[in-house]
Amino acid sequence: MFESLSDRLGSVFKKLKGQGKLSEKNIQDGLKEVRLALLEADVHYKVVKTLIAAIKERAVGQEVLESLTPGQQVVKIVNEELTNLMGGANEEINLSGGHPASIMLVGLQGSGKTTTAGKLAVYLRGQGRKPYLVPVDVYRPAAIEQLTKIGKELSIPVYPSDTETKPEKIAELARIKCAQEGCDTMILDTAGRLHIDDELMAELGRIKATTPPSDILLVADAMTGQDAVNMAKAFNDAMDVGGVILTKMDGDARGGAALSIRSITGKPIKFIGTGEKSNAFEAFHPNRMASRILGMGDVMTLIEKAQDAVDVKKAAELEKKLRKSQFTLEDFKDQMVQVRKMGSLEDILSMIPGMGKSKHLKQLKGSDKEMIKIEAIINSMTLEERRNHSIINGSRRKRIAKGSGTTVTDVNQLLKNYTQVMKMMKKINKGGMKKMGRMLGL
């Protein structure tokens, strides 16, 4: 989402770092470009004005001008001010109050409330909670069926709402049912409208009065830019929301909403949706987002994703197999599945410091399709073939290609790559690490 902004800021900082010593004029010129980059990214003009003033106050002081690395100092200041702009630190969801705890999701139609309800439930389950989904949108066609289906797919209980019952009564009855089911966190998926109106706000007010929520989270579409900010302000004025969930952060919008919401509404962004899968949902950390925007990566989020996706026992077994050169195509497929759980290759590599600005990152857009193709090829093999690739002759390759919907060339390429990796691992295991280090100039 921040590709364009990251590129623009990167070019500005490159110029500043190229200066042996920075003058006040160098910094002023650089900040003009930063201002333009932020405005083009659809950041609210008042927010841009405040941010640039804060950066300027620190950047033209002794802290930078007398520094041995003035360019780096400017980057550090911009990073800190961007972090402060987005809230400074992560603010957790409020689950205090009554039992069960109740979270009310509000927002306009099309913002992704229903899918977000499922993602939030998965997230809370990972935190040790027992979520309970409650559809209270009795107007949108198939809204109840959609959430019921999501709950079934994710193995999360859903209250059996119907369109004849009033939303506030559904919430009241669902709280009793939630406790009976042994769940401790109720997630209310409320109705939306195409635009904010008095009728919608009145209904949300009745639900809030009947079933006082522990937290009210506004679900906003990040791709709508400043409209998302204006909508957040309107909902906050009417409902006093506890925080915001920004959806579709993996889109190609300019990202101004993420940088503006906190300053304009005074309410924190608590979560962001980064894709369509149920695990494409993460807590919002202002310092990590600032690092991503500046192309400095996000190692902490990468580590957290890896901890959630990687099976520690399997990883230990895999290490032993690699050391003994017993790494089979079956093991290779298992590793690919675990990597894909973490997200797309492009997203994973963009979290590594320095990779965010890499030109090669843009070439990875088709890599996920390639991984799906490789998985299909391995799935078309028999168990014996996966464990012993040397038995795969010409006729077997034709059968595997036909079964996976690929070509014999694709199968040959996979086997060739696998063989090369295994040869390299044997060299490493035989003490070839020093030789490889010399070849790489290490």
Side-chain angles (χ1 to χ4, degrees):
M1 170 159 278
F2 294 105
E3 277 181 20
S4 178
L5 178 59
S6 295
D7 290 344
R8 286 290 301 273
L9 292 178
S11 64
V12 173
F13 297 141
K14 192 175 181 181
K15 287 178 190 174
L16 290 175
K17 288 175 186 175
Q19 304 285 339
K21 191 168 178 66
L22 287 181
S23 65
E24 193 169 327
K25 187 180 182 306
N26 294 143
I27 293 172
Q28 294 274 25
D29 291 342
L31 289 179
K32 276 184 186 177
E33 291 188 51
V34 172
R35 182 188 291 112
L36 279 172
L38 291 167
L39 290 171
E40 285 177 9
D42 207 18
V43 181
H44 196 282
Y45 73 95
K46 287 182 181 177
V47 175
V48 174
K49 189 177 178 182
T50 305
L51 177 64
I52 294 297
I55 295 170
K56 185 179 177 182
E57 187 179 340
R58 292 178 62 187
V60 297
Q62 300 299 307
E63 179 182 351
V64 168
L65 297 180
E66 293 185 5
S67 170
L68 292 173
T69 55
Q72 290 284 8
Q73 283 293 101
V74 173
V75 175
K76 178 175 176 285
I77 290 168
V78 173
N79 188 11
E80 289 171 359
E81 292 301 331
L82 276 175
T83 300
N84 292 334
L85 179 72
M86 292 185 284
N90 165 252
E91 291 201 28
E92 294 183 359
I93 192 168
N94 182 11
L95 296 171
S96 60
H99 184 83
S102 171
I103 301 160
M104 194 170 163
L105 298 184
V106 300
L108 297 182
Q109 270 186 16
S111 59
K113 281 195 308 300
T114 305
T115 49
T116 297
K119 289 178 181 180
L120 179 59
V122 170
Y123 175 85
L124 290 172
R125 184 169 61 187
Q127 303 293 310
R129 306 288 298 191
K130 294 180 180 177
Y132 188 70
L133 293 168
V134 184
V136 290
D137 183 353
V138 297
Y139 310 107
R140 184 168 63 85
I144 294 171
E145 287 84 349
Q146 184 188 354
L147 192 61
T148 303
K149 186 181 178 185
I150 289 171
K152 189 176 180 181
E153 288 173 355
L154 301 173
S155 301
I156 292 168
V158 183
Y159 180 75
S161 305
D162 63 80
T163 54
E164 302 300 317
T165 310
K166 288 185 177 180
E168 57 268 30
K169 189 65 178 175
I170 291 174
E172 191 179 350
L173 293 171
R175 170 163 278 189
I176 298 167
K177 186 71 173 172
C178 178
Q180 289 174 348
E181 293 274 342
C183 299
D184 57 18
T185 312
M186 190 167 71
I187 301 171
L188 300 172
D189 175 27
T190 67
R193 298 283 192 281
L194 293 175
H195 54 84
I196 295 167
D197 59 35
D198 294 338
E199 189 182 340
L200 169 64
M201 292 304 179
E203 181 182 294
L204 295 175
R206 290 194 299 273
I207 295 171
K208 183 180 177 182
T210 307
T211 316
S214 307
D215 210 345
I216 301 175
L217 298 178
L218 171 67
V219 181
D221 182 349
M223 294 184 73
T224 58
Q226 286 309 303
D227 285 343
V229 179
N230 297 332
M231 187 264 287
K233 189 175 185 308
F235 264 96
N236 185 50
D237 291 344
M239 294 289 298
D240 187 26
V241 301
V244 179
I245 298 176
L246 273 184
T247 62
K248 305 175 190 175
M249 285 290 284
D250 56 322
D252 56 1
R254 291 169 291 178
L259 293 170
S260 306
I261 279 182
R262 177 63 187 241
S263 290
I264 300 298
T265 66
K267 295 301 167 76
I269 298 171
K270 292 193 174 182
F271 298 97
I272 54 173
T274 57
E276 294 180 6
K277 293 181 180 178
S278 61
N279 63 349
F281 187 80
E282 59 192 64
F284 182 78
H285 294 267
N287 57 333
R288 300 183 191 181
M289 187 56 69
S291 291
R292 285 195 214 182
I293 292 169
L294 297 177
M296 293 157 63
D298 182 1
V299 176
M300 287 306 298
T301 300
L302 182 60
I303 290 168
E304 287 170 5
K305 281 180 177 285
Q307 286 173 337
D308 290 339
V310 176
D311 186 315
V312 178
K313 285 185 179 178
K314 278 191 177 181
E317 288 172 13
L318 177 67
E319 186 190 357
K320 287 180 184 176
K321 286 186 176 184
L322 282 169
R323 289 184 185 280
K324 294 178 182 178
S325 300
Q326 295 173 347
F327 184 69
T328 67
L329 284 165
E330 180 77 8
D331 298 321
F332 182 48
K333 189 195 81 170
D334 288 343
Q335 287 306 298
M336 277 203 311
V337 170
Q338 289 196 33
V339 169
R340 281 176 58 202
K341 280 182 186 176
M342 292 170 62
S344 70
L345 275 176
E346 189 183 0
D347 289 342
I348 293 167
L349 290 178
S350 69
M351 293 179 196
I352 299 171
M355 285 298 290
K357 297 175 185 174
S358 172
K359 292 177 182 177
H360 302 294
L361 204 57
K362 292 172 184 175
Q363 298 170 3
L364 285 169
K365 290 194 182 290
S367 298
D368 293 299
K369 289 182 181 178
E370 197 65 31
M371 286 177 75
I372 292 169
K373 186 199 287 186
I374 291 168
E375 193 178 337
I377 292 171
I378 297 173
N379 283 336
S380 293
M381 297 177 184
T382 64
L383 189 61
E384 188 183 4
E385 288 167 346
R386 290 180 211 170
R387 290 177 177 172
N388 181 12
H389 72 283
S390 61
I391 67 170
I392 304 176
N393 55 24
S395 60
R396 286 176 184 256
R397 291 178 194 220
K398 283 180 184 177
R399 190 204 79 242
I400 291 164
K402 192 175 180 181
S404 59
T406 59
T407 64
V408 173
T409 306
D410 293 327
V411 178
N412 290 340
Q413 187 63 48
L414 169 61
L415 293 172
K416 182 183 175 183
N417 291 344
Y418 169 75
T419 305
Q420 287 176 342
V421 169
M422 291 308 295
K423 282 180 181 176
M424 184 183 75
M425 291 311 301
K426 281 181 181 177
K427 283 183 181 179
I428 291 171
N429 291 335
K430 286 179 182 177
M433 186 64 81
K434 290 180 181 178
K435 188 179 177 182
M436 285 180 68
R438 286 197 297 272
M439 287 169 66
L440 293 168
L442 300 174

